[in-house]
Amino acid sequence: MTQDQAAAARAVTVAHTEHAALHQELMARIAPCFPRRESRATCAQMLAGLLMELEDKNCWTLAEAAGHPTPDRLQHFLARASWDEQQVTAQAARWAIEHLDDGDPDHAVLIIDETADAKSSTDAAAAARQYSGTLGGVALCQVAVHLAYATPRGHTILDRALYLPASRAADDEHRELAHIPEQTMFATKPQLAGDLLQRAHATGIRAAFVTGDEVYGGRELRTLIRTLLLGYVLAVRSSTTIITHAGRTLAAKDAATLIPAGAWMRLRTGSGTKGTRHYDWAMLAIRPDDTPDEHDPGHAALLIRRHRYTGQMSFYRCWSPHPVPLARLIHVATSRWRIEEDHQLAKQTCGLDAGQVIRWRSWHRWSTMALLAYAFIAVATAYQRQLDGPLAEHLGLVAIAIPELLRQLRGVVIPDPRRDPEHRLTWSIWRRRHQYRARLCHQRWHTYAETTP
């Protein structure tokens, strides 16, 4: 081992101690949310299980990995135990922000986006055939709106809201079977995003801008964002109507023709494995159409991105209380891709989409635990990158990624799953017996259904 490799190994050993301290700090932060010590212990075991290397992540596999004799304890924890999942989500969000905040509120961006999880049955709460960009079309799925927080230090998902389609909201039988609360009614995705932003604001979470895709570019949400004293950079369709400072009303795609050829600026908007990504950008001042009562008009603009080869354009409505340079608006607009990375990694590493749960509360509790696990690993990764700093560059290493750090923490900070032969045999017998009983129940039901007039 060279001296550089030895130095890297020592840095990793020190980091493991710090990561263990981060884990203990997070568990101490959420401990008051659980009125019983049994539920606190189950939470810790489930959090560890979600970060373990398992083929599947559901109540059965997590309970087996934790050493439980059956999945009853975890199922009770998700469905009936006394604890407030929204309080846990809020505390985890505060904890993550304390570690990701770099001290400059102008650097923080809140990102809204939705993701979908494919389902095989309509029994799951809010599951319906609906469009999802995640799945590439119309499919039977659950859709959830998420709110993420990003700074130069790192990013993570703070909160979520399950989208209840209008057809499901009006289906009394589905509401009863899925235990959907009576006060929960149909709300659009922008309305759910507004609820998430209001919850974040009430929690004390502050940022300079909000960004999101075209779904969230409507006037109602933009007005709400301004009442929360936030700026925004939201994608809009090319047909969106804007009013120029000269008073002309025209579509966004037509407004692009007003920009002189020399006003376009080619700027780098990110780096990938194949190199940097460059686009042409331009900004056109417009009149705001979403000024709340007794608020200052501020500064509104239409931000336009043009592909340097195809010429294809994307459009963003922007607003800020003070003039903002083009480079800052571009940075906010491109920050939206971080939530897509969060969605992918939270599903890959923490089982965000793996919860085989049916009821409304169980879904929210599973997602709370998955986001709790992801917040921990996201903060730990941000800390590791800061610790590596010049050493990684000196050794010619890319910045550590969440999956790579998770590999290092397993067996050190995150316990290994229980895999002794006796425990495995016990669980094999339990699964086979459960499946046998389930098959008998299905057969009896089908026999009854066929003979009943």
Side-chain angles (χ1 to χ4, degrees):
M1 180 182 292
T2 66
Q3 291 184 349
D4 288 340
Q5 291 173 333
R10 287 194 298 271
V12 168
T13 302
V14 172
H16 285 169
T17 303
E18 296 296 334
H19 293 147
L22 284 174
H23 184 271
Q24 293 173 359
E25 180 185 322
L26 176 59
M27 295 308 300
R29 177 66 66 88
I30 65 173
C33 302
F34 299 93
R36 296 178 61 87
R37 65 178 181 179
E38 292 86 355
S39 57
R40 288 196 296 271
T42 304
C43 173
Q45 291 169 343
M46 187 172 182
L47 176 63
L50 287 169
L51 294 171
M52 290 177 185
E53 187 174 8
L54 303 174
E55 293 181 4
D56 299 301
K57 291 181 180 178
N58 53 57
C59 282
W60 289 19
T61 58
L62 296 182
E64 182 180 3
H68 297 181
T70 69
D72 295 344
R73 191 186 308 174
L74 285 185
Q75 291 174 345
H76 173 78
F77 178 76
L78 293 178
R80 296 176 296 279
S82 176
W83 60 282
D84 188 340
E85 60 273 12
Q86 194 54 50
Q87 186 181 6
V88 173
T89 303
Q91 290 294 340
R94 291 193 189 100
W95 176 83
I97 289 174
E98 289 175 6
H99 289 278
L100 297 178
D101 186 2
D102 65 354
D104 189 340
D106 288 340
H107 290 169
V109 178
L110 293 172
I111 313 168
I112 46 180
D113 196 14
E114 76 274 358
T115 188
D117 304 330
K119 294 296 174 183
S120 59
S121 170
T122 56
D123 293 340
R129 288 194 60 81
Q130 52 192 316
Y131 175 80
S132 166
T134 306
L135 302 178
V138 176
L140 177 59
C141 59
Q142 289 174 316
V143 175
V145 179
H146 288 86
L147 177 69
Y149 176 86
T151 69
R153 285 187 178 178
H155 48 94
T156 189
I157 302 175
L158 301 181
D159 203 352
R160 76 283 176 259
L162 183 58
Y163 173 68
L164 181 63
S167 60
R168 286 317 210 181
D171 187 339
D172 292 337
E173 182 180 0
H174 177 74
R175 295 181 70 98
E176 182 179 358
L177 292 175
H179 291 210
I180 299 175
E182 292 183 1
Q183 65 272 20
T184 301
M185 305 304 292
F186 170 73
T188 64
K189 294 171 187 175
Q191 288 172 336
L192 293 177
D195 292 341
L196 294 178
L197 289 169
Q198 287 178 307
R199 281 210 297 254
H201 187 267
T203 304
I205 297 171
R206 298 292 181 265
F209 283 94
V210 176
T211 188
D213 64 14
E214 293 180 357
V215 176
Y216 306 98
R219 183 183 303 177
E220 181 182 353
L221 181 58
R222 288 188 279 113
T223 303
L224 173 62
I225 291 172
R226 291 188 57 178
T227 62
L228 298 177
L229 305 180
L230 296 168
Y232 62 73
V233 179
L234 298 170
V236 293
R237 293 181 174 88
S238 60
S239 58
T240 299
T241 300
I242 59 99
I243 303 175
T244 67
H245 262 209
R248 293 182 60 186
T249 301
L250 65 169
K253 60 183 177 182
D254 297 327
T257 62
L258 302 178
I259 299 174
W264 292 90
M265 296 183 62
R266 181 162 296 176
L267 297 173
R268 187 181 73 175
T269 57
S271 299
T273 56
K274 298 181 180 180
T276 58
R277 294 185 291 268
H278 293 83
Y279 289 92
D280 294 332
W281 296 85
M283 182 170 60
L284 179 69
I286 62 176
R287 293 182 182 178
D289 64 349
D290 50 21
T291 304
D293 295 339
E294 301 181 358
H295 277 243
D296 187 84
H299 299 266
L302 179 68
L303 178 66
I304 307 172
R305 185 188 72 179
R306 184 179 66 187
H307 195 282
R308 56 176 175 163
Y309 298 129
T310 65
Q312 183 178 358
M313 295 185 183
S314 301
F315 303 89
Y316 305 82
R317 283 197 76 123
C318 311
W319 182 88
S320 61
H322 308 290
V324 176
L326 175 63
R328 176 61 175 151
L329 295 179
I330 293 173
H331 172 76
V332 175
T334 55
S335 295
R336 192 188 70 81
W337 297 104
R338 296 182 180 179
I339 194 171
E340 297 196 4
E341 179 184 344
D342 287 333
H343 283 151
Q344 180 181 357
L345 289 174
K347 292 177 180 182
Q348 174 187 341
T349 62
C350 304
L352 179 62
D353 61 340
Q356 297 176 2
V357 292
I358 301 295
R359 297 180 178 181
W360 183 267
R361 172 187 278 186
S362 299
W363 183 91
H364 282 82
R365 289 186 166 183
W366 178 277
S367 63
T368 290
M369 294 304 302
L371 295 185
L372 182 67
Y374 185 71
F376 164 71
I377 196 64
V379 169
T381 301
Y383 178 83
Q384 184 69 53
R385 289 176 176 176
Q386 186 177 4
L387 187 66
D388 289 345
L391 180 61
E393 186 175 351
H394 175 69
L395 295 177
L397 306 176
V398 299
I400 194 166
I402 284 179
E404 184 61 35
L405 180 64
L406 197 52
R407 292 187 186 97
Q408 293 186 16
L409 297 185
R410 286 171 176 159
V412 182
V413 177
I414 302 165
D416 289 323
R418 181 173 172 181
R419 287 173 173 165
D420 58 276
E422 182 180 356
H423 184 64
R424 284 184 170 184
L425 178 60
T426 300
W427 264 87
S428 176
I429 294 173
W430 184 89
R431 281 193 299 270
R432 292 165 61 190
R433 181 179 292 116
H434 183 88
Q435 291 163 356
Y436 175 77
R437 291 173 178 172
R439 184 174 63 181
L440 285 181
C441 289
H442 285 302
Q443 291 173 348
R444 290 169 182 169
W445 168 251
H446 288 306
T447 302
Y448 168 78
E450 290 173 357
T451 58
T452 301

